[in-house]
């Protein structure tokens, strides 16, 4: 992975995570999530689902699908 250290992510992106997901709560994770635009230049939205764990699409299907559809609409504009 060393060759990719610091290389920005250039495609349009959407970040969805559950607030209770272990990965979103590791030391430094919240700061990284808050500053994702520094690495993901075309980040459209960061969505942290309150009360949700790791399996966002199973725990919050309506919210996840709505966010995905809205994101995809921005790509066809």
């Amino acid at each position: 992975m060393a060759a990719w250290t610091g290389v920005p992510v250039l495609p349009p992106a959407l970040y969805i995570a559950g607030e209770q997901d272990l990965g979103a709560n590791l030391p430094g994770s919240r700061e990284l999530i808050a500053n994702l635009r520094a690495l993901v230049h075309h980040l459209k939205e960061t969505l942290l689902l309150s009360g949700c764990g790791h399996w966002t699409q199973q725990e919050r299907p309506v919210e996840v699908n709505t966010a995905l559809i809205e994101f995809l609409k921005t790509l066809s504009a």
Side-chain angles (χ1 to χ4, degrees):
M1 297 298 295
W4 302 107
T5 300
V7 175
V9 176
L10 299 177
L14 168 66
Y15 182 85
I16 302 175
E19 272 189 336
Q20 296 179 355
D21 187 337
L22 177 62
N25 290 292
L26 293 171
S29 291
R30 292 297 172 108
E31 293 79 16
L32 178 62
I33 293 168
N35 294 297
L36 272 178
R37 288 190 198 285
L39 297 172
V40 184
H41 294 182
H42 301 287
L43 180 65
K44 301 287 186 181
E45 184 179 6
T46 298
L47 184 59
L48 283 176
L49 301 174
S50 64
C52 188
H54 181 73
W55 303 105
T56 56
Q57 65 276 27
Q58 283 85 12
E59 294 178 48
R60 296 297 211 12
V62 173
E63 290 172 80
V64 170
N65 285 334
T66 299
L68 286 170
I69 289 167
E70 292 304 313
F71 169 70
L72 291 171
K73 284 180 183 177
T74 70
L75 302 181
S76 63

